Amino acid sequence: MASAKRVICGLSVAVVWLLAIFVLPLVTNSYLPLVAILCAAAIICLFELCSMLKKKGYCLPFRMLACLTILWFGALYWSPGIVGSLQPYMIGFISMLLLFRILLDKNFEKPMETAALSVVAFLYIPYMLSYMIPLAISRSSDVNFSGIFLVFSIVLITKMSDTGGYFIGSAFGKHKMCPRLSPGKSWEGTIGGYLFSLTAAAIIVACAHIFHDVGFLSQIRLYAPNWLMIAWFFLTVIVMVTVGILGDLLESLFKRQCEVKDSSALFPAMGGFFDTFDSIIFIPVTFIMMMELGRNLLLG
């Protein structure tokens, strides 16, 4: 029964997000809805993280974190050039604001730990998720489907690992992968997750060639022979899945430390919003890093 609820809830969430990600930008001919969706996702994840940490006595300034998240995503959307050139200084300034906000307020208990956790919370969720924006937004003034499809593809590939891990692990899982953090994860499920993600990636590549358009593949910016590009792409998928698993375990570490089972009870049999996003958080920056590394290695 729990498995059926999990599948139904997962499919419902996926359909809603797919419609929001694809339909709204194309209907409005603007990337603003997509940026707003990503910003809202980051804020909800922040809220659930702050709620978990509060149970252990760490009262993070959620409203300030939410405002900084909105300002950060807004700056990336309206002034990407400025953010690109000033990004290290802006991140440093945001960290300074969070530190001073807490350290100079006598009402905060455990100020040093709370200050450190507040900076980590911003870098961990909004900052990492914001790398979705340069992947999705094309340089043209009109909405370009390829950028949105790129974001969809890397999210699909990552979440297929979760799906494969769940179903294969439930059916064949015997050897625990990391029982201290996630008792439900098994090595059999992990292998199944890799297979599901690689299969999804193969289907994407096949579709690109069937329609005689490198479409999605061209977005990885590897101007090399196609076979070499595709080989590096599948290596990238393996790295992405590995990072996704580690992201999942990191969120499990937070939950263990806070002594909670799920980040919230938002989705039946699935947990909270943060629980569904934990494996995606580090994926955009991982994908960009692998593509830039591949371009430099393959082109010398």
Side-chain angles (χ1 to χ4, degrees), residues 17 39-49 62 125 266 272-274:
W17 273 89
C39 182
I43 291 175
I44 296 172
C45 289
L46 271 176
F47 177 77
E48 293 187 349
L49 176 61
F62 169 71
I125 299 177
L266 184 62
F273 203 88
F274 193 18

Side-chain angles (χ1 to χ4, degrees), residues 69-81:
T69 299
I70 293 171
L71 291 173
W72 180 252
F73 276 78
L76 281 171
Y77 176 69
W78 278 293
S79 302

Side-chain angles (χ1 to χ4, degrees), residues 220 222 224-234 294 297-299:
I220 66 176
L222 292 179
N226 277 343
W227 67 268
L228 199 55
M229 182 192 303
I230 294 172
W232 186 264
F233 170 62
F234 281 107
L297 289 176
L298 296 179
L299 299 180

